[in-house]
Amino acid sequence: MTDEPLYARLGFTDAEWGLLVGLPHAVLTAASAATHDSARKTRAESAAGLSRISDARASASTLVTAVATAAVAEAGDPELGEEPPVIEPADPAAYSADVLNRATEAAGLLASKASVADAETYRHWLLEVADAVVGAASTGGILGLGGETVTEDERTFRDHLATALAA
């Protein structure tokens, strides 16, 4: 037996692992903050994103399973009723830009250190998290009727995330 942490066995430093583990929740927050919603809708978006993060613990990718397990351990397991507080950035545009920069950094890191399959699965998973968040609650309309399921700002964030992850 070794005391070497899993992330080191996967070839990552502590800082690199922190980037990979923190990014799913950051994507959730940035996707939710792309359009200002009511507290109820923001909670629905957060729950959808947390569920997607949690579900990835059953991924076929060893990397994604390990990252999702670590992310859930840090933030709380929604299946056990443990949910982190909803974060609403003071400056959503700056937060989004930071998340996109971290996504670009993560894509480069994965390209250099992970298998092609693990890197692709991780990138796809982050896009699934963003999709779950932006599709969780409609914006606008009256009494829950009408409105946009995905706003232009949410779509723009998701598209920019896809571009950042493809870098």
Side-chain angles (χ1 to χ4, degrees):
M1 285 272 195
T2 178
D3 289 340
E4 184 178 40
L6 175 61
Y7 64 81
R9 285 181 278 162
L10 292 172
F12 298 100
T13 67
D14 187 51
E16 292 167 341
W17 190 247
L19 171 68
L20 296 176
V21 170
L23 199 50
H25 283 101
V27 165
L28 181 162
T29 299
S32 181
T35 298
H36 182 73
D37 290 312
S38 69
R40 180 186 59 79
K41 290 179 181 180
T42 299
R43 281 192 306 276
E45 291 171 341
S46 182
L50 290 171
S51 178
R52 196 67 205 105
I53 291 169
S54 177
D55 290 349
R57 293 178 292 177
S59 174
S61 164
T62 302
L63 173 67
V64 171
T65 297
V67 170
T69 299
V72 168
E74 285 184 9
D77 188 344
E79 292 175 10
L80 300 176
E82 303 170 345
E83 295 188 20
V86 174
I87 298 170
E88 296 186 44
D91 184 349
Y95 187 84
S96 175
D98 177 62
V99 170
L100 295 173
N101 287 335
R102 287 189 275 160
T104 299
E105 183 181 347
L109 174 64
L110 292 169
S112 68
K113 292 197 170 189
S115 71
V116 172
D118 277 343
E120 182 58 34
T121 302
Y122 181 89
R123 288 190 299 267
H124 183 72
W125 172 48
L126 290 183
L127 292 173
E128 288 177 340
V129 170
D131 287 340
V133 171
V134 302
S138 63
T139 299
I142 299 172
L143 299 175
L145 302 173
E148 298 176 89
T149 301
V150 179
T151 68
E152 189 60 36
D153 289 339
E154 290 169 335
R155 191 173 297 107
T156 297
F157 171 76
R158 197 268 188 214
D159 291 348
H160 288 170
L161 178 63
T163 299
L165 290 170

